[in-house]
Amino acid sequence: MAYKRQVDRLPIIPADAQEFNVTCHYCIVGCGYTAYTWPMNRQGGTDPSQNKFGVDLAEQQTMETEAWYAPSMYNVVRQNGKDVHLVVKPDANCVVNSGLGSVRGARMAENRPSKVTGTQQQRLSDPLVWRNGVWQPTSWDDALDLVARVTARVVTDGSEDDLVVSVFDHGGSAGGYENTWATGKLYFDSMKVKNIRIHNRPAYNSEVHSSRDMGVDELNNSYSDYEVTDTIFVVGANPMECQTNLYLNHMVKGLQNGARFIMVDPRRTVSVHSAEQYAGAENVLHLPIKEGTDLALLNAIMTEIVDQRWTDAEFIAASTFQDGQAVAQDEAHPASLGSLDHTMQAIRLSLAEAETICGVPAADIAKAAEWIAKPKDDGARRKCTLAYEKGIIWGNDNYRVVGAMVNIALATGNVGREGTGVCRLGGHQEGYFRPADGHVGRPAEYVDQFLIRGLGGVHHIWACDHHKTTINASEFKRVHKRRADMVKDAIDAAAGGTREQLVEAIVSAISAGGLFVVDMDIIHSQIGQNAHVILPACEASEMNLTSMNGERRLRLSEKYMDPYGNSRPDCLIAAGIAQNMERVLREMGQDAYADQFKGYDWETEEDAFMDGYNTGNPEVTYERLRAAGNNGVQEPVTGYENGALVGTERLYTDGVFTRHGREDGKALFCASGWRGWQAPGKAREQAAHKYWINNVRANIFWQNQFLDQRNEFVQDRFPYPFIEMNPDDMVEEGLNPGDLVEIINDNGVTQGMIYPTATARRRQVAMVFGSPAGSQGNVINDGVNELVLPNYKHCWGDIRKVSDATREAARVTFKSKEVAL
Amino acid sequence: MKCNRLVDTGRRQFLRGSLMATAGAAVSTVMTPAQAKAQALARVEYPANRLANLADLAVNEPMDITYPDADSPGVLIKLGQAVEGGIGPDGDVVAFSVLCPHKGWPMSYSAEDKTLNCPGHHSRFDCEAGGQQIWGHATQNLPQFLLRVDDAGDIYAEGVDELIYGRLSNVL
């Protein structure tokens, strides 16, 4: 039997319950929710006067009602030291989601840590220090002192290059303007750390360098543009699964208004099937290209648009560079940039050539070009929204393929106008505000390889778990553990000594190739198993947090409960490290260096916000954001008028492009010529193995699997990471639904559960990414592009059965994920 | 083919609902000790409602029912194959709420793969796996009605295992 909560009744929110603005912190969309809290000894009633909704709750409520919440939206949490009832439910007045909850966000309440109901007891409550062979709970003072003493010794004995940092750069969840600022100030202002990487990739770089180099910020439209567009062109993204309420609340409205939908993806995703239900199959075009050939397809579409003269000549003349090459291809630019003519010389590809490369009919490619750009019968231009995400960002030839997408938007004038835009759909929300990072360099250091080569002595890790989410993960884990164990052994051997003797022992182990690991996280993660000091963080809802979503909508998600145990906001942990660094360095006689660590006397996350984001955006304060509620304000904020922040609905409405910093304001095209597999080792691996191992997301735990590994509703559905496989391949391999299999190649091995999928193509399996119970990264090679953007999406392997389905797995449903209406 | 047999639950449930409303109204105001005692049950009490007789059911043809009252629509299905939680001589009779626990849209039954499907936002639930959400936006699996069959083949619903959409108490 499926997991049931056996809840037959919930406490009713009383009319006078406290209310808080909440932006869901899991994915980029940032749906609006409202949190309600009230004392334990009170409850509302069914009479309209006695509940928050003012309706008669003794009656069945209608569909789409605001006056209902699921058991997952309820919990008992600690607020100002007292237990309180909590309900977190979707906000019908938020323009992002209009009351729609997601399968993740609508479990925010249930995924809060509660000592009363027992939820999320995996949350870290105290600093832990590796001591006496275990992680010993201790005080902040004790833990931070050790972090500072070892870090200060290593960066002064050697240099700041010996400090390696892994850190989030995003909004929501662990990020937000408060926390990106504090960590940025620590590593880019107090120090100049260059061996630093971002949570999901092995270097400190942009995922969309080319779009920015072309002058186009990657989040340039408004979600409402999808509602009034003529064509939604999606490449390497799966919005129904990964940006669910952007799809349901905006793209679907577009489809219902007559928009056509083009999906480029080797896999037939739920987005394709769902779009067919809303728009009619005749208005949906799925191009199931061979893996890694997106660039060839996009170049052919561009060629067709140019040859058919469907380009927007007026826009091109007014807003794009005209004089040949503007930027040469070099180490920092994997393709040259310049005029449309310059670009066409490099990218021209016929429909027939593309059919051969991509494996889809030339007629369908021509149809895509037509749907994107062929003017309507009355001569009016079609409006097209172009959307992309990890399928190409983490795909083959990142720089060029993202550039090719933006090329089409520029050639057809589909940016800066209503119903248009060329945007990544995003993963996390954004929330980046840091000091300049120019010293990191471009290309940036490939930090995973730096660590694997035995370099670096101290590793600070902020809210990321490379064991689950990096490429070449097998080797990374092996080396990281070996180096961390050297330090653990040294600590064990130094038991009973003084703090000075302990630091000496650690530094000696580092000199011998060891790595001292400090992990900041909300749970004891897999990479945290290698840590010597673990510092417990809190997250949104336990602190105030500001972020912007995929349409640059900035909101303050309000704190409504206490941090769990002794945990703290990341920004205040960073401040604690800085303050201890200052103290320790001064003791070491390094006064000038110690002075660099001044300026962290923050009491709250709001202090960090004012120290950072507010200095660049003086109009924006917590008070004003609180008043702006769940609709917030779209960045950039341009003023404050009539008691409200003034924002920007859409970028580039004036046709002036600035993201590249060019004074002429002209956008550049990208000479994104097709060159086959860009990253090393891909072609060889493809030839050597039977199956392409795609990695994919699942909306049920996308962005919060670290919490959901302790959520019964989710674990009941997918007790093991799923691997979607064609039933004929299953027969060939002797597999039944739910069987456990290994995926094997030269990079490593991973494990998952077979999920029969009739729409999966032969010899292509799709494994869910980032699972704690099976890291897909184990079998991905170390291939990156020139700017160290990882190619996660392309790995090939063989599949071998490990066991029959376990009892738990056998009772899971294995039916198609496509709705049957 | 669907048929719509409303079950004789309305009157009794209407009365029960009225009592609940009265009791509820007292909660937020001052309660006497006697009233507090009357509230002491920790769980709602489910009615035992006759839904149909086994003889009324054809394999894989859902019968529209309601439970625990006329405002809570559901389906009674003889799946044709024994399932965990199924009742009757073949262990294959189950009943579910048909209100999608995401946003309360009424769902339709797909006889082809024995699922309930939501036209609103495309969530779907497996009637052969206890109403497990196969894919979708709901944060709970589908409420299943606890069934009992007597010697005469009469099928009774006697409980629900999840909160039904649109009500904060399964029995109003």
Side-chain angles (χ1 to χ4, degrees):
Chain A
M1 292 289 286
Y3 168 73
K4 300 293 173 70
R5 292 186 183 81
Q6 302 292 351
V7 169
D8 56 8
R9 173 186 274 174
L10 284 175
I12 293 172
I13 307 173
D16 60 353
Q18 270 192 279
E19 294 183 36
F20 303 86
N21 299 321
V22 174
T23 303
C24 176
H25 52 296
Y26 296 137
C27 95
I28 178 83
V29 180
C31 294
Y33 285 74
T34 306
Y36 304 86
T37 62
W38 67 98
M40 286 311 299
N41 63 348
R42 298 194 55 248
Q43 60 180 322
T46 53
D47 187 85
S49 67
Q50 294 172 328
N51 62 65
K52 198 71 176 181
F53 313 110
V55 302
D56 181 3
L57 292 176
E59 292 179 351
Q60 169 76 27
Q61 305 301 306
T62 58
M63 59 194 279
E64 308 267 2
T65 182
E66 287 184 57
W68 186 72
Y69 35 98
S72 64
M73 302 180 202
Y74 174 82
N75 210 338
V76 175
V77 298
R78 190 55 72 93
Q79 180 187 69
N80 301 321
K82 291 179 179 166
D83 292 328
V84 293
H85 295 276
L86 168 72
V87 168
V88 185
K89 58 185 280 298
D91 179 0
N93 297 314
C94 175
V95 296
V96 174
N97 55 312
S98 304
L100 291 176
S102 77
V103 68
R104 305 166 300 276
R107 292 186 290 109
M108 270 190 287
E110 182 177 74
N111 271 347
R112 292 304 91 218
S114 171
K115 292 181 179 177
V116 175
T117 61
T119 52
Q120 290 300 326
Q121 291 299 288
Q122 63 168 335
R123 287 287 302 274
L124 293 169
S125 61
D126 295 278
L128 304 171
V129 172
W130 183 262
R131 193 181 287 160
N132 315 324
V134 296
W135 284 285
Q136 190 79 53
T138 190
S139 69
W140 280 99
D141 285 346
D142 178 32
L144 288 172
D145 179 73
L146 183 61
V147 171
R149 284 188 188 283
V150 176
T151 304
R153 248 317 268 288
V154 168
V155 300
T156 52
D157 283 0
S159 76
E160 289 175 350
D161 293 350
D162 296 317
L163 171 58
V164 179
V165 177
S166 299
V167 64
F168 52 80
D169 73 335
H170 53 73
S173 218
Y177 287 113
E178 295 77 6
N179 296 330
T180 62
W181 169 249
T183 47
K185 184 172 181 174
L186 179 61
Y187 298 117
F188 291 167
D189 188 22
S190 297
M191 292 183 269
K192 288 279 183 274
V193 171
K194 72 175 190 193
N195 292 316
I196 180 168
R197 56 159 285 175
I198 294 171
H199 61 286
N200 66 356
R201 52 194 187 269
Y204 202 87
N205 48 16
S206 167
E207 291 189 307
V208 290
H209 274 304
S210 51
S211 182
R212 294 177 182 182
D213 290 349
M214 295 163 80
V216 182
D217 189 275
E218 63 273 19
L219 300 174
N220 47 66
N221 70 4
S222 198
Y223 284 169
S224 61
D225 285 316
Y226 292 102
E227 300 173 23
V228 294
T229 192
D230 294 311
T231 299
I232 299 172
F233 179 45
V234 182
V235 182
N238 183 6
M240 173 64 149
E241 190 94 60
C242 302
Q243 295 86 14
T244 306
N245 286 333
L246 159 59
Y247 173 82
L248 288 174
N249 200 37
H250 303 283
M251 289 186 179
V252 166
K253 284 176 183 160
L255 299 178
Q256 289 168 334
N257 286 334
R260 290 169 175 161
F261 191 85
I262 307 169
M263 169 68 79
V264 179
D265 195 318
R267 186 170 69 123
R268 182 181 161 87
T269 61
V270 288
S271 296
V272 176
H273 183 77
S274 174
E276 288 175 350
Q277 312 308 306
Y278 289 117
E282 70 279 11
N283 291 313
V284 176
L285 175 61
H286 176 213
L287 295 167
I289 57 170
K290 291 179 191 169
E291 69 267 28
T293 64
D294 310 71
L295 176 54
L297 183 92
L298 293 171
N299 285 348
I301 290 173
M302 179 79 169
T303 303
E304 175 74 358
I305 289 170
V306 168
D307 288 352
Q308 294 286 350
R309 301 183 187 284
W310 292 336
T311 50
D312 187 334
E314 205 174 310
F315 176 86
I316 293 167
S319 293
T320 70
F321 184 79
Q322 300 296 310
D323 304 321
Q325 177 174 290
V327 178
Q329 182 175 337
D330 59 23
E331 192 190 37
H333 300 86
S336 63
L337 307 164
S339 68
L340 176 59
D341 290 344
H342 170 78
T343 290
M344 289 314 297
Q345 287 170 26
I347 73 167
R348 181 165 283 285
L349 200 71
S350 72
L351 296 176
E353 289 171 305
E355 176 177 302
T356 304
I357 296 168
C358 305
V360 292
D364 281 352
I365 305 173
K367 190 175 180 181
E370 191 177 317
W371 283 14
I372 293 167
K374 185 183 178 183
K376 297 176 185 176
D377 291 343
D378 64 0
R381 294 205 60 81
R382 288 185 74 82
K383 290 179 283 190
C384 179
T385 47
L386 299 91
Y388 62 94
E389 192 42 48
K390 290 292 189 288
I392 62 172
I393 285 176
W394 283 1
N396 179 28
D397 215 348
N398 164 289
Y399 191 90
R400 292 189 177 195
V401 70
V402 171
M405 193 75 179
V406 181
N407 279 342
I408 294 174
L410 292 175
T412 56
N414 277 307
V415 59
R417 297 165 171 175
E418 187 183 55
T420 73
V422 55
C423 304
R424 66 175 300 180
L425 291 183
H428 292 92
Q429 285 181 73
E430 303 293 334
Y432 190 95
F433 192 86
R434 278 182 176 150
D437 59 7
H439 65 280
V440 172
R442 177 173 155 167
E445 180 65 40
Y446 189 161
V447 170
D448 284 17
Q449 292 297 326
F450 184 84
L451 286 167
I452 287 168
R453 289 202 305 273
L455 301 173
V458 174
H459 190 189
H460 290 185
I461 305 167
W462 295 82
C464 34
D465 194 348
H466 310 328
H467 282 36
K468 294 179 300 195
T469 56
T470 194
I471 54 171
N472 193 27
S474 296
E475 185 179 21
F476 180 87
K477 283 187 272 200
R478 205 160 45 234
V479 174
H480 201 267
K481 179 176 188 304
R482 179 173 51 73
R483 297 188 62 192
D485 280 348
M486 292 171 69
V487 174
K488 279 186 184 169
D489 291 345
I491 293 173
D492 292 346
T498 63
R499 175 58 53 105
E500 289 70 24
Q501 289 167 327
L502 174 65
V503 171
E504 282 304 325
I506 292 170
V507 170
S508 295
I510 291 169
S511 301
L515 188 68
F516 181 73
V517 179
V518 184
D519 189 33
M520 278 58 70
D521 210 323
I522 61 170
I523 61 166
H524 197 166
S525 65
Q526 293 186 0
I527 199 169
Q529 304 299 313
N530 294 342
H532 307 97
V533 179
I534 298 171
L535 300 176
C538 63
E539 61 169 355
S541 76
E542 302 148 23
M543 64 177 289
N544 294 291
L545 197 75
T546 53
S547 306
M548 74 171 194
N549 77 348
E551 53 175 350
R552 309 172 318 286
R553 190 175 297 280
L554 169 66
R555 271 84 52 90
L556 168 65
S557 191
E558 293 182 278
K559 173 181 177 175
Y560 55 77
M561 61 183 282
D562 301 344
Y564 188 62
N566 288 309
S567 64
R568 289 180 182 174
D570 290 89
C571 55
L572 299 186
I573 298 175
I577 292 175
Q579 288 160 348
N580 278 272
M581 287 288 286
E582 184 193 354
R583 177 179 57 80
V584 167
L585 286 165
R586 220 171 283 290
E587 283 178 21
M588 291 166 67
Q590 303 252 6
D591 275 338
Y593 196 15
D595 287 345
Q596 291 177 213
F597 292 88
K598 285 182 167 176
Y600 293 87
D601 51 343
W602 307 327
E603 294 290 323
T604 66
E605 56 272 25
E606 186 172 6
D607 294 339
F609 180 84
M610 295 306 286
D611 190 63
Y613 187 85
N614 176 265
T615 60
N617 303 272
E619 302 288 2
V620 183
T621 63
Y622 269 22
E623 187 186 356
R624 290 174 178 182
L625 284 175
R626 201 169 277 126
N630 280 334
N631 289 332
V633 59
Q634 284 176 276
E635 295 190 62
V637 175
T638 58
Y640 183 74
E641 291 170 13
N642 305 320
L645 292 164
V646 181
T648 309
E649 186 182 12
R650 192 175 296 109
L651 303 185
Y652 312 125
T653 50
D654 55 1
V656 176
F657 292 88
T658 51
R659 192 62 177 81
H660 44 26
R662 289 176 61 89
E663 287 187 0
D664 64 5
K666 304 293 187 193
L668 306 177
F669 287 91
C670 177
S672 57
W674 165 250
R675 49 179 172 167
W677 289 117
Q678 173 273 322
K682 298 295 182 186
R684 189 181 66 243
E685 194 175 286
Q686 184 178 32
H689 297 286
K690 187 171 176 182
Y691 291 96
W692 173 42
I693 316 296
N694 191 2
N695 72 68
V696 301
R697 308 298 195 277
N699 74 345
I700 192 169
F701 43 46
W702 155 233
Q703 297 287 26
N704 56 334
Q705 217 171 158
F706 48 91
L707 292 177
D708 284 339
Q709 63 184 340
R710 293 289 179 272
N711 182 287
E712 277 309 311
F713 171 70
V714 172
Q715 287 302 305
D716 177 73
R717 177 67 188 95
F718 293 115
Y720 309 100
F722 67 74
I723 299 172
E724 295 178 354
M725 189 181 218
N726 183 286
D728 292 334
D729 283 336
M730 288 173 59
V731 170
E732 197 171 294
E733 303 289 344
L735 296 171
N736 287 308
D739 282 357
L740 298 179
V741 298
E742 282 182 336
I743 295 172
I744 307 141
N745 64 16
D746 292 345
N747 309 311
V749 183
T750 189
Q751 182 174 322
M753 173 184 80
I754 288 295
Y755 198 105
T757 303
T759 54
R761 298 171 82 186
R762 298 294 306 273
R763 306 286 187 264
Q764 298 188 356
V765 299
M767 178 171 180
V768 72
F769 182 76
S771 170
S775 171
Q776 206 267 332
N778 287 0
V779 289
I780 303 171
N781 81 354
D782 60 3
V784 295
N785 85 342
E786 295 90 335
L787 299 178
V788 204
L789 265 298
N791 184 336
Y792 278 96
K793 289 286 182 180
H794 298 107
C795 82
W796 295 264
D798 298 313
I799 291 176
R800 183 167 62 204
K801 181 166 170 172
V802 171
S803 86
D804 288 337
T806 64
R807 189 179 60 193
E808 287 290 298
R811 33 180 290 291
V812 167
T813 181
F814 288 102
K815 291 180 180 173
S816 165
K817 298 171 185 173
E818 295 188 346
V819 74
L821 297 174
Chain B
M1 195 179 89
K2 291 186 183 180
C3 52
N4 191 1
R5 294 182 197 208
L6 288 177
V7 189
D8 180 24
T9 55
R11 182 175 163 75
R12 213 175 96 198
Q13 289 319 304
F14 178 76
L15 289 173
R16 185 182 294 275
S18 303
L19 285 169
M20 281 297 298
T22 308
V27 171
S28 286
T29 55
V30 181
M31 271 198 295
T32 67
Q35 283 171 320
K37 191 175 176 185
Q39 289 288 303
L41 289 175
R43 304 271 295 176
V44 303
E45 277 204 277
Y46 285 102
N49 294 356
R50 180 182 175 282
L51 302 179
N53 188 280
L54 284 173
D56 301 330
L57 296 175
V59 171
N60 208 19
E61 286 184 17
M63 173 185 287
D64 287 352
I65 50 135
T66 63
Y67 183 79
D69 55 65
D71 291 331
S72 171
V75 280
L76 180 66
I77 315 165
K78 181 176 172 56
L79 293 166
Q81 196 167 356
V83 294
E84 227 179 318
I87 58 119
D90 303 320
D92 66 343
V93 176
V94 292
F96 295 96
S97 167
V98 292
L99 297 182
C100 179
H102 175 224
K103 296 302 288 180
W105 288 58
M107 296 194 285
S108 60
Y109 183 73
S110 165
E112 194 177 333
D113 69 356
K114 298 174 182 172
T115 56
L116 282 160
N117 294 268
C118 180
H121 310 98
H122 299 171
S123 301
R124 61 197 315 258
F125 302 85
D126 189 349
C127 297
E128 294 183 297
Q132 187 169 49
Q133 183 169 241
I134 303 164
W135 193 93
H137 321 287
T139 51
Q140 63 192 54
N141 295 313
L142 197 56
Q144 182 164 4
F145 302 150
L146 185 66
L147 301 180
R148 172 176 61 84
V149 62
D150 69 10
D151 294 344
D154 284 335
I155 303 165
Y156 294 84
E158 298 186 322
V160 186
D161 60 8
E162 268 285 8
L163 196 65
I164 296 166
Y165 183 88
R167 48 181 67 195
L168 293 174
S169 173
N170 272 345
V171 176
L172 293 174

